[in-house]
Amino acid sequence: MDESWVNSAERIGADLHLHLDVAGSGGRRAALIGALREAVRSGRLAPGTRLPPYRSLAADLGVARNTVADAYAELVAEGWLTARQGSGTRVAVRAQPLGSPARVAKKTPPRARGPRHDLRQGTPDASSFPRTAWLASYRRALQHAPSEAFGPGDPAGRVELRHALADYLARARGVRTEPGRIVICSGFAHALRLLFPAVLRGPLAVESYGLGFHRELLAAASVRTVPLPLDEDGAQVGELGRERAVLLTPAHQFPTGGPLHPERRTAVIDWAGARGGVILEDDYDGEFRYDRKPVGAVQGLDPEQVIHIGSVSKTLSPALRLGWMVLPERYVGAVLAVKGEREAWAGVPDQLALADFIDSGSYDRHVRRMRQRYRGRRDRLVAALAARAPHIEVTGVAAGLHAVLRLPPGTEQSAVKGAVWQGVALDGLGEFRHPEALMPAPDGLVVGYATPAEHAYGAALDALCGVLPPA
C-alpha cells in the first residue's frame, strides 16, 4: 500500500463528510452500496481513504446503523473496502477509479541527448558570455533610461544604440555612416526579410557556397538566387550579369575562408554604380582576424552602393537577437515602412544595454579577449592536424570561428557519417553549396573551433582526428 495515501486519509479520518445519494427505488442498503461503489469508481473516494464509522455515517444519512454496517461488510467482501481492527474501514488500494491510471511517482522526462563534441560552425563559446559586464551595462542602462524609452518607440531602434554603433563601426570596421542611416534588427535573417521583396527586387547574385538557410529564406520570398563562382580571391564578381543586387561575405568568405581581393572590391563597387544596383555586405565575423591586417568593410568604399549588415551573434551571443543595417539614404524610409509593426522590433532594454556595453569599452575588451582565445583554439586545431593527420589541408584559418578541412576526393560523406557515429557534430562542405553552382565541388569538412567550452576542446579535437579519412 502507498503509505502517502494512508497518511493523507488519516488527516481526515473519522470526520470525513460524504455526500451520498441513497434516495430512489430499492432499499436503503442497496442504494448505499451503489453510492459507495460509484464514489470509488469516479475517484471521489481515493484508495486508502478512511471511511466514517458506522454511527457517524448513519447519522449523516438518516439510516439505521446496521444498514451502514451491512453495506460496509458487503463491499469488504467484494474487495472495494478493507477493514482492520483499530484501523477502521478504508477504500481498498487496488480499487482504482474507472479509467484512471494507477498512481505512480512522477518521472522527469529524459533530456534529449546532443552530440558529445560540438564542432558546428557559426556559434561562439556560450560559456564565455560576459555576464558580469553585461549585467552592469544592463543596470546602468535601465537606471539612466528616460521614461519614454518604455513606451511606443522608433522602428529604427533606440537612438542611443544607433549613435554607439555609428562610432564603433567607423573605428573598428571602416564604415561611413551616421545614426539616421542605421536600422536595428534582430539579426541577418531578419534583415533579409525586411529587404526582400518589398525594398529590393530579385534576382540576387550570391556566392556559390553559403548558408542554405539564407537561400531558403529568400526562396520563400520569391527571390531567385544566382550563384557566383569562388576562387582563392573570393567571389568572381566579374561574372555578375543582369542582377541588381549581390550578397557577399567580403571580410571572410563563408564558409571557404579568405577576404575578397581588393581589385574585386573595387570592381563590385563599379558594377553597382553602373547598374544602379546594390551590394549586401554580410559582416558576420569581421572582428575576428588573426594572421593578417584588418580588412575594412566594403561599405567604406561607397556608402550609397552598399547595405552593411552585422550583429552580435558571433561576438556576444545569438541569444541576444540584436543586429543592424547600415543603409544607403534611398532605402531608409522604405525599410522603416516595412519594419513598422512593433512586433518586429528588438527589445528596448537589450538595445540600451548594448549601447552602454559599447560606450563603456566593455564590447571592445570582450572582442579582444575572445580574439585571443579563438586564435589559441585555431592554433591547437592546426597543430593537432599537423601531428595526427598531416595529409589533411586546413584552409580559411586567418580569420573567423571555423576552418575548412580539405579531404581526399570521395571521402566527405563517409567522414560526416563517421563523425555522427562517434558523437561529433560538424558539417560537410557540400551542405553549403548552391544547388545550381557550376564550379568544382571539393570534399571537405567545416569545423567550428569556437563552439565547445574550453575544458571540452581537447577531447573534441581528439574525437575529430579519429574520424578523419586516412592518407
Side-chain angles (χ1 to χ4, degrees), residues 307-321:
I307 297 175
H308 180 88
I309 306 173
S311 76
V312 298
S313 293
K314 306 296 186 290
T315 53
L316 282 172
S317 169
L320 287 178
R321 309 312 309 148

Side-chain angles (χ1 to χ4, degrees), residues 28 37 51 67 122 137 170 175 211 244 251 296 298 319 332 354 365 367 401 409 419 460 465 469 471:
R28 293 293 186 90
R37 285 197 194 109
L51 299 182
T67 299
S137 286
V175 170
L211 278 177
R244 300 293 296 274
V298 170
V332 173
L354 180 57
R365 288 190 291 272
V367 169
L401 304 179
C465 291

Side-chain angles (χ1 to χ4, degrees), residues 305-347:
Q305 306 299 335
V306 182
I307 297 175
H308 180 88
I309 306 173
S311 76
V312 298
S313 293
K314 306 296 186 290
T315 53
L316 282 172
S317 169
L320 287 178
R321 309 312 309 148
L322 283 173
W324 51 85
M325 288 181 282
V326 181
L327 296 164
E329 184 67 34
R330 65 186 184 276
Y331 289 128
V332 173
V335 169
L336 293 180
V338 175
K339 189 170 183 277
E341 296 182 5
R342 297 176 195 170
E343 286 73 14
W345 300 2

Side-chain angles (χ1 to χ4, degrees), residues 29 35 57 88 98 101 109 162 212 261 284 296 298 314 339-340 346 351 379 385 410 431 435 450:
R29 174 179 170 279
L57 186 57
L98 186 64
R162 291 186 282 122
H261 192 277
Y284 71 101
V298 170
K314 306 296 186 290
K339 189 170 183 277
Q351 292 186 54
D379 292 346
L385 293 171
E431 295 180 28

Side-chain angles (χ1 to χ4, degrees), residues 392 405-417 430 441-445 467-470:
I392 301 295
L405 279 55
R406 301 289 182 174
L407 302 181
T411 62
E412 179 179 317
Q413 292 302 315
S414 60
V416 171
K417 290 179 181 178
D443 284 49
L445 298 176
V467 303
L468 296 176

